[in-house]
Amino acid sequence: MLCPNLNAALMAEVFHCTTSNGIILSNCWFAFGAYGTKHPLRATKVEEFFIGKVLSVGVLYEAVKLLGAIVVPEFAHTTISRCLGIPEHNVRVITRRVGGGFGGKCFRAMPVATACAVAAYKLQRPVRIYMNRKTDMIIAGGRHPMKITYSVGFKSDGKITALDILINAGISVDLCKTNHSSKSAMRAPGEVQATFTAEAVIEHVATTLSLDVDSVRSKNLHNFNSLVFFFEGSAGEPVEYTLPSIWNKLAISSSFKERTEKIKQFNTCNKWQKRGISRVPIVHEVALTPTPGKISILSDGSVAVEVGGIELGQGLWTKVKQMAAFALSSIQCDEMGDFLEKIRVIQADTLSLIQRGLTAGSTKSESTCEAIRLCCNMLVERLILINKKLQEQMGSVKWSTLILQCGFCTLGMCMSLFSALVNAEKTPSNEICTFPEFLKNEDGSALLLDSRRYSWYSPVSIGELQRSLSSVENGNGSRVKVVVGNIGMSYYYKELESFDKYIDLRCVPELSMIRRDDIRMIIGATVRISKAIEALREGNIVWKKIADHMEKVASRFVRNSASLGGNLVMAQRNHFPSDIAIVLLAVGLLVNLMNGLKSEEITMEEFLRMPELDSKSILVSVKIPDWDRIMSISSGTKMKLLFETYRATSRPLGNALPYSNATLMAKISRCASFDGMVVSDYRFAFGAYGTKHTIRATKVEEFLTGKVLSVDVLYEAVKLLRNIVVLDDDTSYPAYRSSLAAGFLFEFFSHLVEGNAESPNGYMNGYSTLMSPARHLDHGKVSTLLTSGKQEVELNKQYIQLMSQLLSLGLSSKLLVRYTNSVLYHEAHELISYLAVYVDDIPSPTKCLHGAFIFSTKPLARVKGIELKPKSVADGVNAVISFKDILGENLGIKTGFGPEPLFADDFTRCTGQYIALVVADTQKHADMAADLAVVDYDMENLEPPILSVEEVVRKSSFFEVPSFFQPKQVGDFSKGMAEADHKILSAEIKLGSQYYFYMETQTALAVPDEDNCIVVYSSIQAPEYAQSTISRCLGIPEHNVRVITRRVGGGFGGKAMEAIPVATACALAAYNLRRPVPMHMNRKTDMKTTGGRHPMEVTYSVGFKEDGKMTALHLDILINAGIGVDISPIIPLFMVDAIKKYDWVAFSFDIKVCRTNHSSKSAMRGPGEVQGTFISEAVIEHVASVLSMDADSGAAGELKEYTLPSIWDKLAASSSFKERTDMIKQFNMCNKWQKGGISRVPIVHEVLLQSNPGKVSILGDGSVAVEVGGIELGQGLWTKVKQMTAFSLSAIQCDGMGDFLEKIRIIQADTLSLVQGGLTAGSTTSECSCEAVRICCNILVERLTPIKEKFQEQMGSVEWGILILEATSEVEVNLLTGQTTILQSDIIYDCGQSLNPAVDLGQIEGAFVQGIGFFMLEEYLSNSDGLVILEGIWTYKIPTVGTIPRQFNVEIMNSGHHKKRLISSKASGEPPLLLAVSVHCATRVAIREARKQLLHWKGLNESDLTFQLEVPATMPIVKKLCGLENVEIYLQSLLS
């Protein structure tokens, strides 16, 4: 019982042909199976071939050939797919060239590739097999051996009359199954044996007749008639049969007869040496097979060719290059003399170009050349028309000029975090894997210390620790570091030099204990912060408050790794603004220190003030007093304890350094002589506001001691505190931080003092609540976590039917949304389980080097030299690459507006400009060397740099904006101003920059390739831009550069142009050093070098009527573009389009793009539109303020876009806008220290579609591989493209298409596989990519439908596999801290009819939150030289879970059918970001209420409430507008 190698069932009807005396077949049924297909199939082409033909040897031969072309399996691709049990689109087989094949690399190479694939798939690690010669010879088979019996008849002159051949002693040509290794095709399979057999027969006949063998051969040569008899279908024309003439010519050219006579003479004369001579003919049938080909003409005129044939050493690539050059030369352009050099044939790739069978039969070169000729002819037809037009305009036309004018062939989140790698553990098979094993193993080696250079000690007792420290003290000056978690180095400070010895304290039991006695808790220094929090939570109310405060320190991951002692030592030694130090200082912490054999116990204050600890001093433990026990022992119930901690930070849930923090503790008792409260034993600790260490406010403590609390006492204490808090000169927001300290002190006592001032029983009420958990004013503490939200998708019936048809399901709108969420599951699973591979996850090639940039810290200077510290050179630095090492052009970025250099030449022209690339053996060593590099600057005799737009105006340093990008003005501004009732003249707005803050920083990997080529894996939004730039920088044609992008870990525009120099620098280093070079830019370098959103200064004048109707607006805008042009000239157009959302009647502007010595600014999500939206809302708010009107009423009647009026009204209703406005007014009247605001804003976003390429390949098992011009950035592009592919191909209506989405795979972008469609940006690339794929699928459907119909007639139902084988926002502002809490945001968004609601909902919410960052949080700070001083989330505050709206409602509105849009879909990536301006506007409303209250306290009228709220509206800015001295003013109002 064996499964057959091949089985078949054949049936046919036959009848006798009277005219030809032969047999004719009709109604044939030929079924074959079990040879690489899922199901049996009908050989319909063979059936059609037989019908009506008279059976003959020639006819049967042609049928066998045709059958062989059908049943050839899909080779390694299909075999691997079936062996692994995965669809073919999940298998990619790449073959560049073969080092000799001769047929042995046809089928015998398949099990080798499959075995590698199985091992790699199972182990999740790369696997390579290089078979040794012995094994290869044993298992590879070879040519077929055979036994032949023949019978032959012949005339006396040697003419053969009949021949019968029996192979293997059978009655026919049988294939024998033996237990030998399988034999396979070997060069000229069967033909070699047949040729020998024919010659053996000839020799036998000649011997029998005693004739000369050559004469018998001549006698039996074919004439044309006999050739036709034997080769009926392929004999060709008589003129093509050249064998007789060749036979005679060979006899003459080789002097055959003369040499025959000489050999006879030689043999007669020599006994022991004999010679022979022979000539034999062969006839080889030339059979061409269909072969695919593809030609891409790149932007520099170079040509990339991909063909179905494999280069085996037979010169296939050479012939293809010649054919491409010959065919394209018919265009007849100038400078095509070296055209062969412009052509490159690239490797075979089964997912890029479907291969067609074997490279065999000696005709693959010809078949391939024919495919290329056809491709070239199509290109020539298109290019000749352009060439003629250009010739009329220019005369002669160069090839490169022609290509630049051609439009059809020229110009696209979770991350594998390092923390997951380090902490990855094996999980059961039914759980999500934390990190793939092959990546853990790949990167694990980089974490090990070199034992030859470093020493690691792990003492297990205090005694061993003391001995280790003693040996260090007596050592030879080696550098020693004591570590536990070593978290500080990763998150707060960077060590630029290595240590020689490390002492790990984690194994010392005395340092890791937690013990509690009657009056204190003792915690060892190495106890993790998270463990300390758990212990404190089990204690009294003070300890629980300490635990609450400590839980806001860093993230859970850091708290699980960092030690309590390490945090305190950082505060003492590195001046770290520790939240833990401040709470422990206030509770009277005692610190146990060990220095050598000595130990001492000191207070926390003494610990912080003492000289910085060295490596010989060890913090052993800390002692936290139990104040509940102490109070009960010392004073019984007469005295109560008041304790509270404070921190003001942009992230209220923690994981961010605060602007300021404080811990206040006091003992309070009733005054016997007065009706009041007396405070004693104060401990006021303040920190993190520009002092080296946390400090005690001892003067305030002394002032308050023994005093009865009252308004005037508290007022004096606040004033005294202001004088005590002295900040360092370089502290940011000094006034704000000082105000926070006053606010903390006021809030600590406010419920006592305010109670006394406003009610006679206030003291008693205050006293009765002393031991209650402290509360924030008015409301208590408010969680900022998202507590609820709503997502709605409005779909019409036509759309539901459309999507249900796609999914082959009958779905309601709710079920449809639920299903589209499930469609995302596979992609989401890959991301959250770290199976999605990004550039930095690609296993490092062997002999890999790593790069890191040295960048300028001066805005304008002469670069005299770069010096690396000797330690850096020792740490594996291989080379320093600068502009002097560039082989081509010094080009880092090239846009249509102009170039930017890769490296600074003799001058650096901005801070953050790349000066050189350090290349070292590890990324850590490269980063360290770059940080330690000393650049020798010279600024003598140089003009001052331009660092402000005001200087730009004075020096006229502007970039030109091309006329077609210049926006048009509207109306007559002078007339509009004349008609105005009111005017605002020359009001100013300043807008800052914003950093991209993608999760994956700039990353690239360059690998040198053969033949002067380079392969670059880049995280980029526009791979072809990088390809063109790398080509010019290296001085090689574009077809020698391959840029591959699988996915990008967040872009927001920062991976568009800014990723190009990273990829180019890696390529340059790899090309020069001939070694792979990856670079993963650290966050610090990324933030300082990649530019960001365009900052700008705006001056506006506006005229308006009494009712708020605008009559005219004029804007003067200076855009800071930085040193390079990048894409800055398009910003004015986008800005004006966004501002036009309101009807200004007359709108004029003067917008200038300024060139400064700052780093180049680039596109960032909603470029220009974000700023334009804010400007328009600022103007509206200003007008409303002047008229004392509600800003919302001035906007309602001025909306232009078709769906905006209905959305405007619908949003008011769905968000209960009017009711909530009234509630907020009531809230503001009742609350002093918190104010609410609410705002709704509209946006208009112009949707621009761009041309985009696409390619759909249906593989042998029915799976589908799709390639598009767009790049997956996390915006769901791949998901939408999969859906569109499934929908379009479902029009074939085959059975078995229920899970069709699973059969589709989107493959990575490859610039030599598919010419990309420019930039993935503008929120419409998903739609454009879907449209390209839809067109491809429609072509396939046209071709497959007739085949499917024919099958239906024969088989009934046909399965797919068989066929293929043939924005309102409401906020609350805390007036004491300036903290803004977003209570609710409601968004109604018209994105047409969403291609995937789940994707678009995520895009809308994500863009809105990113907009919150720009308008409220993200300060893009630089020093006086323009160098960005931000180095990560430590100092740059992006939105987190604590800053998103508590109630977040999003509704996708259906706006009807739009014939000009792809399934009526609109953009969803960028426009929602603009809606976040509603948060800013609502904050402005709340601040206005606060300012009204402040004026009331001052006794002033409320005539002028006009103010400008900057962007971003950070806590210091909000607090400043609410009043930095509002506490003192309030207390004064109470006193007066």
Side-chain angles (χ1 to χ4, degrees), residues 87-107:
E88 286 189 26
H89 64 207
N90 282 15
V91 179
R92 187 167 213 148
V93 180
I94 296 174
T95 303
R96 174 164 298 168
R97 59 169 59 84
V98 174
F102 314 123
K105 303 284 180 69
C106 291
F107 298 100

Side-chain angles (χ1 to χ4, degrees), residues 57-68:
V57 172
V59 168
L60 185 58
Y61 178 74
E62 287 298 317
V64 170
K65 284 199 305 178
L66 183 59
L67 179 63

Side-chain angles (χ1 to χ4, degrees), residues 8 318 457 509 532 617 1114 1155 1234 1381 1396 1480:
T318 301
Y457 299 94
S617 298
H1114 177 78
R1155 185 182 187 190
Q1234 286 175 307
T1381 302
N1396 186 302
H1480 192 275

